[in-house]
Amino acid sequence: MKLKKLPIWALALAVLAGSSCSSDDYNYTKDGSYGTLSFALAANNQLNEGEISRAESRASGLTISEALGGNAFNATSFLSSKGGEFAITVKDSNYETTNCLLKEWDESKSLAFGNYTVNASYDQAKVGFYGDGGEPAFESEEVSFTIATADAPTAVSIPVSMSNSIMRVRYTEMFKNYYADCTTVVTQTGKSPVTFTYTEERGAFFEAANATIKYTLTPSQAQGENGNAIEKSVSQTLSAKTCHTLLFDVTNVGGVNKLTITLDDTTITEVEIGDIDLNDDQYKNESGSNK
C-alpha cells in the first residue's frame, strides 16, 4: 500500500506549565549563563490517506475530523484539555535527561545555556469511536533548540502528529442493491471489538498494528441461490497517522458480477456472485416493499 504524505499543517497551540519534574540533571542557580524554558504543543491535524483511486480520493487529503465523520474533532480543544498529559523528554548536550508530564514542567527551572532536544508523546491506547471510548494518540519527532538568553523563557513549539490509525467503512450503491445488510467487526489484541453497522459512517481509532476484520453480509432475497449470509474474517495491518477506508463493492465485468472488498486500494476479497438481473421488482426487503 502506498501512502501519500500530506504536508498541510493546522496548528493548535496550547502553552502548558506546571509544578515539578523528576530529573537526573542539576537545578542550576540562575545567573547570566542560565535561562528558563517553556513549551507549547502544535498539532498536525492532517492525515496520510491510504491511496484510493476509485472512491473518495481527494487531492488535499483528510483532516482527523473529516476521517471521524459524525464526531467532529478539534485539535485546539483536545490539546487544551489533554495537552498536560503528554509525556516529554528533555536532553542537554551532555545527555542528561528530564522526564515528566508536560503539566509538571517547572518554567522557573534554571538551565545552562546550550543545545537541547525535546520530544513528546500521548497514547492512552483507547480504541473505538471518538466520544465513545476512542482517542487519538500523538507523538513528535525530536525537536532541537538552544537556550541563549536569561531575559525571558526560551519558548519551544513541539509539533505532534497522530500516531495511531483511523478506519471507516463505505459501500457503493451497486453493493447496496445486492446486500440488504452488512456488519463489520474489527478487533485488535487486548482491545474491545469495534462494530460498524450498515448505517455507521463514522471512523474509529485503532492501534497502528494488526487488526482482524470480520464481516457479515446479508444478501437481498432476490439472489436466490446466492441468498445465504456470508461471514468471513481477514487480517490486515493498520498504519500510523493514516485513515484507511474499507470499501464494499459489486462490479460487473464481462457479464459476471463480483463482490469486491478493498482496504484502500488493496483487494481483500473478490468473489464471483453470478449473473443476477437487477430488475427493481426483484429487490424486496422482508416486509415486501422495494428497497
Side-chain angles (χ1 to χ4, degrees):
M1 179 190 308
K2 297 181 291 181
L3 300 178
K4 301 177 287 186
K5 188 174 182 180
L6 302 171
I8 304 173
W9 288 78
L11 297 183
L13 298 181
V15 178
L16 298 155
S19 55
S20 63
C21 277
S22 60
S23 172
D24 58 8
D25 65 353
Y26 296 97
N27 191 14
Y28 302 100
T29 303
K30 185 175 179 181
D31 58 29
S33 298
Y34 300 95
T36 56
L37 184 62
S38 67
F39 295 110
L41 298 174
N44 181 356
N45 199 35
Q46 293 287 328
L47 298 175
N48 294 326
E49 187 177 5
E51 187 168 323
I52 304 170
S53 60
R54 294 181 301 277
E56 296 197 56
S57 181
R58 61 186 79 195
S60 61
L62 288 171
T63 65
I64 297 173
S65 181
E66 288 170 334
L68 294 177
N71 283 319
F73 175 85
N74 184 286
T76 302
S77 297
F78 185 83
L79 292 186
S80 294
S81 62
K82 303 286 189 177
E85 302 301 322
F86 277 63
I88 62 169
T89 299
V90 183
K91 295 181 181 180
D92 66 16
S93 57
N94 295 319
Y95 302 103
E96 294 175 331
T97 304
T98 300
N99 296 292
C100 65
L101 296 180
L102 188 51
K103 67 183 180 182
E104 296 172 345
W105 179 259
D106 185 357
E107 288 191 5
S108 67
K109 178 182 177 67
S110 297
L111 300 170
F113 284 5
N115 298 320
Y116 293 80
T117 63
V118 64
N119 54 43
S121 64
Y122 175 88
D123 188 359
Q124 302 300 309
K126 293 183 177 180
V127 165
F129 299 104
Y130 187 57
D132 293 326
E135 269 197 359
F138 286 96
E139 65 182 6
S140 74
E141 296 182 356
E142 193 170 73
V143 178
S144 299
F145 62 94
T146 300
I147 298 178
T149 180
D151 297 332
T154 298
V156 178
S157 178
I158 309 174
V160 294
S161 299
M162 200 182 81
S163 57
N164 54 356
S165 181
I166 293 174
M167 184 178 135
R168 57 188 185 167
V169 181
R170 295 290 185 266
Y171 318 92
T172 65
E173 289 303 314
M174 182 71 83
F175 176 85
K176 291 178 180 179
N177 285 335
Y178 279 83
Y179 292 93
D181 195 14
C182 177
T183 300
T184 303
V185 180
V186 183
T187 56
Q188 294 185 301
T189 302
K191 306 297 180 185
S192 297
V194 178
T195 300
F196 294 86
T197 64
Y198 210 9
T199 58
E200 180 62 80
E201 296 185 350
R202 296 175 298 172
F205 288 109
F206 294 95
E207 296 287 301
N210 187 71
T212 299
I213 302 171
K214 178 181 178 180
Y215 56 90
T216 303
L217 308 181
T218 304
S220 301
Q221 291 179 332
Q223 291 193 25
E225 293 180 358
N226 297 302
N228 295 324
I230 299 171
E231 183 175 290
K232 291 187 178 181
S233 294
V234 294
S235 180
Q236 295 290 316
T237 298
L238 306 181
S239 300
K241 195 189 172 185
T242 300
C243 175
H244 294 287
T245 300
L246 183 68
L247 178 66
F248 290 84
D249 191 13
V250 170
T251 59
N252 185 294
V253 179
V256 178
N257 296 305
K258 288 186 177 181
L259 165 65
T260 303
I261 304 173
T262 57
L263 186 67
D264 307 322
D265 262 354
T266 300
T267 299
I268 294 175
T269 300
E270 188 172 65
V271 180
E272 290 188 9
I273 58 176
D275 185 7
I276 301 171
D277 187 14
L278 287 177
N279 293 325
D280 289 340
D281 58 359
Q282 284 188 310
Y283 290 88
K284 300 179 183 297
N285 58 31
E286 293 181 357
S287 67
S289 60
N290 287 335
K291 283 176 54 66

